[in-house]
C-alpha cells in the first residue's frame, strides 16, 4: 500500500430498537443473541452481511445473529440512533464504524473496549496494513476490526448510453466530464444520477479531489488548512457545474445507481458498494452484466488515487453479550469471513492474505489499484473528518443544493474546518 492511509426498517431477523433491547437474552433453544448493528439492509448491502452471518452461526452454534441494522445508505440514520444508544448506556453488542476520524470520536468518548488482546491472540497486526491499524488506534491501543476497504472515487456509467451520446471513452478530467454530461443532456437522458443528500456530499469529495489533486486534498484536513483558497473556489464552481446536470434526487444510492444500470442515466459517482448491487444476482442485486450494462473508471481527475474508506466492527463498553460480540469480531477478522463478505459487498478485503482469485472483474481492478495508488481519505465515510465536522459539511451542502451559492458554501466549509480540524 502506497502513501499514508491517510430510523426505519430493520433487516434480516427483523425488529428495531425495542426488540434490540432483548437481543442478548437467551432465546427458546438456549441460544444467546448477538446484536450486530450496521446499516446494511438494502439491496447490494445486505448480501455481504448475510454471508458473514452464515459463517458466524456455523462456527457458533450457541449464538444467533440478531440483525439490528437501520436502513439508510452511508449510515446517517443508523449513526444517529447509535449515538442515543451509546448515551443511554444500552449499546449493541457490536457496531459498524468507519476507520479514521469517525472511529477516533468513539474511542475518545470512551465508548469502545481496547481490542489489543484480540489482535495478539489472532496475530492480526501481521495481516492488516500497518497504516490501517493506525487509523483505528489511539496511544497504541487498537479499537476495531476492519472488514474491508471500499473505494469512494468510482465513476459508474452505462456504456450504451455513452455510445448513443457519442462519448467514446470514460472522461478522465473534470473538463472532459462536463463536456460528456452536456452530450448526454443533448440526447435527452439523465446525465448524472444522484440520491439523497449524502450522495451529494459524496460527489463533493470526489470533485474536490479531482480538482485539487491528492496532496492539496489531503492537506484540507490538517489544522490551519486553507479552505478559502482560489483552488477550493474553483473546485466548488466545478461542483456547481456538475450538479447542474443531476437528475431528480432519488431516495438513496440504490435507485440512483439503478437509473444508470437501466439506461435512464449515463453516470453516477458512487462508492464501490454499487458494484455489489449491479453485479449480485437478483433479489440481493440487479444481476446486470459488467461492461455491457455498467462500466467503471476513476472519478474524473482522480485516476491514480484511491479515495478510500473502511468498515470496521467494534466492541462497545457494556456490551450485554460481550463473548458473543468477540465471536462476531473473530469472524469479521478471519480470512474466511472477509472472503465471504467482500466479493458480495463490492469491496476488497482489509486482510493482506485474502484469496485473490475470488476478486474478479471490477474487484480485480480495485485490488490492483489499492496496491499501487496514492491514498486520500473519504469525507462522507468517516476517514478524514469527525462526525461533528461531517454534520457541518452536510448542512452546508444541504443549503447549497437549495441556494447554489458557491461563496456561501465555501465560507461554511471554511468555518466548519476551523471549528473542527485537530
Ligand atoms: C458507507 C459504508 C459502505 C456502504 C455505503 C452505502 O458509509 O462504508 O459499507 O454501506 O455507506 O450505504
Amino acid at each position: 500500500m502506497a502513501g499514508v492511509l491517510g430510523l426505519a426498517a430493520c433487516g434480516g431477523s427483523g425488529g428495531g430498537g425495542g426488540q434490540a433491547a432483548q437481543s442478548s437474552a437467551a432465546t427458546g433453544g438456549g441460544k444467546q443473541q448477538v446484536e450486530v448493528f450496521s446499516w446494511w439492509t438494502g439491496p447490494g448491502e445486505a448480501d455481504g452481511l448475510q454471508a458473514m452471518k452464515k459463517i458466524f452461526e456455523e462456527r457458533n452454534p450457541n449464538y444467533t445473529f440478531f440483525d439490528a441494522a437501520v436502513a439508510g445508505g452511508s449510515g446517517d440514520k443508523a449513526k444517529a440512533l447509535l449515538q442515543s444508544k451509546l448515551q443511554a448506556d444500552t449499546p449493541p453488542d457490536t457496531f459498524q464504524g468507519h476507520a479514521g476520524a469517525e472511529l477516533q470520536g468513539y474511542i475518545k468518548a470512551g465508548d469502545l473496549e481496547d481490542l489489543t488482546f484480540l489482535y495478539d491472540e489472532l496475530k492480526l497486526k501481521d495481516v492488516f496494513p500497518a497504516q490501517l491499524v493506525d487509523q483505528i488506534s489511539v496511544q497504541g491501543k487498537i479499537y476495531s476490526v476492519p472488514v474491508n476497504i471500499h473505494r469512494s472515487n468510482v465513476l459508474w456509467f452505462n456504456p450504451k448510453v455513452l455510445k448513443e451520446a457519442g462519448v467514446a471513452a470514460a472522461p478522465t478530467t473534470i473538463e472532459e466530464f462536463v463536456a460528456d454530461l452536456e452530450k448526454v443532456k443533448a440526447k435527452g437522458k439523465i446525465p448524472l444520477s444522484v440520491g439523497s443528500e449524502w450522495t451529494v456530499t459524496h460527489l463533493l469529495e470526489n470533485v474536490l479531489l479531482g480538482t485539487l489533486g491528492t496532496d492539496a486534498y489531503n492537506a484540507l484536513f490538517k489544522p490551519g488548512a486553507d479552505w478559502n483558497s482560489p483552488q477550493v473556489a474553483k473546485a466548488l464552481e466545478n461542483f456547481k457545474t456538475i450538479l447542474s446536470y443531476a437528475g431528480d434526487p432519488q431516495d438513496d444510492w440504490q435507485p440512483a445507481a439503478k437509473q444508470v444500470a437501466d439506461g435512464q442515466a449515463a453516470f453516477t459517482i458512487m462508492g464501490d458498494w454499487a458494484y455489489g448491487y449491479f453485479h449480485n444476482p437478483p433479489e440481493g442485486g440487479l444481476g446486470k452484466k459488467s461492461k455491457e450494462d455498467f462500466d467503471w473508471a476513476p472519478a474524473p481527475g482522480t485516476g491514480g488515487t484511491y479515495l478510500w474508506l473502511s468498515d470496521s466492527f467494534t466492541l462497545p463498553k457494556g456490551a450485554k453479550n460481550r463473548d458473543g460480540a468477540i465471536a462476531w469480531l473473530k469472524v469479521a477478522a478471519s480470512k474466511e469471513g472477509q472472503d465471504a463478505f467482500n466479493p458480495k459487498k463490492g469491496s476488497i478485503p482489509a486482510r493482506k492474505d485474502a484469496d485473490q482469485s475470488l476478486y474478479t472483474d471490477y474487484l480485480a481492478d480495485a485490488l490492483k489499484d489499492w496496491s499501487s495508488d496514492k491514498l486520500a481519505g473519504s469525507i462522507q465515510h468517516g476517514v478524514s473528518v469527525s462526525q461533528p465536522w461531517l454534520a457541518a459539511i452536510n448542512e452546508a451542502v444541504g443549503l447549497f443544493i437549495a441556494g447554489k451559492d458557491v461563496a456561501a458554501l465555501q465560507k461554511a466549509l471554511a468555518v466548519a474546518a476551523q471549528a473542527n480540524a485537530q
Side-chain angles (χ1 to χ4, degrees):
M1 189 170 55
V4 174
L5 251 181
L7 301 188
C10 246
S13 47
Q19 277 166 281
Q22 31 158 295
S23 67
S24 41
T27 57
K31 291 187 177 193
Q32 281 223 312
Q33 292 184 332
V34 182
E35 181 184 348
V36 179
F37 189 95
S38 77
W39 55 87
W40 296 328
T41 67
E45 309 240 66
D47 287 8
L49 189 60
Q50 291 308 313
M52 220 154 44
K53 170 190 165 182
K54 192 164 168 271
I55 296 173
F56 172 75
E57 294 193 332
E58 279 163 12
R59 281 196 189 179
N60 298 283
N62 294 331
Y63 293 131
T64 54
F65 173 96
F66 180 87
D67 190 348
V70 174
S74 187
D76 290 356
K77 295 190 189 87
K79 282 186 265 179
L81 178 64
L82 176 64
Q83 212 38 260
S84 60
K85 281 167 149 297
L86 293 174
Q87 264 156 21
D89 287 329
T90 54
D93 294 319
T94 177
F95 66 85
Q96 169 197 356
H98 289 125
E102 180 182 308
L103 200 86
Q104 301 275 334
Y106 296 120
I107 301 170
K108 286 175 191 148
D111 292 327
L112 302 180
E113 276 199 42
D114 172 18
L115 294 176
T116 305
F117 71 92
L118 196 66
Y119 274 70
D120 290 345
E121 184 188 328
L122 303 176
K123 304 206 175 2
L124 294 178
K125 276 197 187 167
D126 299 342
V127 296
F128 293 132
Q131 293 98 323
L132 179 57
V133 172
D134 201 44
Q135 298 285 330
I136 51 174
S137 302
V138 167
Q139 292 174 347
K141 296 178 175 166
I142 314 172
Y143 290 88
S144 73
V145 170
V147 74
N148 66 5
I149 304 290
H150 264 307
R151 185 173 192 168
S152 155
N153 60 323
V154 189
L155 177 71
W156 301 100
F157 56 93
N158 183 309
K160 293 176 207 141
V161 176
L162 260 56
K163 201 164 171 220
E164 274 162 31
V167 176
T172 58
T173 64
I174 299 232
E175 292 68 29
E176 281 174 23
F177 187 36
V178 172
D180 293 348
L181 290 166
E182 189 59 39
K183 287 185 194 161
V184 176
K185 187 178 168 190
K187 285 281 171 194
K189 292 262 163 102
I190 300 166
L192 177 73
S193 64
V194 293
S196 44
E197 233 167 80
W198 72 263
T199 71
V200 182
T201 303
H202 186 106
L203 177 66
L204 172 64
E205 71 181 36
N206 276 275
V207 178
L208 281 168
L209 178 64
T211 308
L212 298 173
T214 314
D215 294 344
Y217 173 90
N218 283 333
L220 288 177
F221 311 103
K222 308 230 162 80
D226 186 10
W227 284 75
N228 285 309
S229 69
Q231 290 79 3
V232 172
K234 169 88 179 109
L236 300 182
E237 285 296 347
N238 285 340
F239 177 55
K240 180 177 177 177
T241 305
I242 291 167
L243 206 52
S244 72
Y245 290 97
D248 290 339
Q250 304 297 295
D251 280 348
D252 209 333
W253 67 267
Q254 288 100 334
K258 190 166 186 299
Q259 288 183 320
V260 173
D262 289 348
Q264 295 168 39
F267 298 103
T268 195
I269 290 183
M270 189 37 60
D272 49 8
W273 42 91
Y275 179 72
Y277 178 51
F278 289 142
H279 182 259
N280 290 350
E283 288 319 302
L286 294 174
K288 294 286 183 181
K289 274 216 167 65
S290 148
K291 305 278 174 189
E292 266 179 49
D293 301 320
F294 70 96
D295 203 345
W296 58 88
T302 72
T305 298
Y306 216 95
L307 185 53
W308 73 279
L309 60 123
S310 167
D311 296 307
S312 72
F313 281 95
T314 58
L315 180 58
K317 282 186 187 156
K320 283 193 258 26
N321 189 352
R322 185 176 181 277
D323 290 347
I326 292 170
W328 171 256
L329 294 176
K330 286 186 174 172
V331 173
S334 70
K335 186 159 142 42
E336 190 192 4
Q338 298 212 352
D339 279 342
F341 174 75
N342 286 299
K344 293 229 149 58
K345 185 65 170 63
S347 40
I348 55 172
R351 287 182 70 113
K352 296 183 284 186
D353 60 350
D355 178 353
Q356 304 230 344
S357 71
L358 298 171
Y359 300 85
T360 55
D361 199 33
Y362 164 79
L363 293 171
D365 285 1
L367 267 183
K368 185 162 114 322
D369 290 350
W370 173 247
S371 68
S372 58
D373 276 6
K374 288 191 195 171
L375 300 178
S378 167
I379 295 174
Q380 175 60 34
H381 308 283
V383 180
S384 294
V385 303
S386 63
Q387 294 205 56
W389 190 349
L390 177 59
I393 293 174
N394 283 331
E395 194 184 326
V397 168
L399 291 171
F400 180 77
I401 292 171
K404 305 286 180 327
D405 183 341
V406 166
L409 174 60
Q410 186 165 19
K411 194 168 165 210
L413 293 175
V415 169
Q418 212 178 10
N420 290 288
Q422 299 176 354

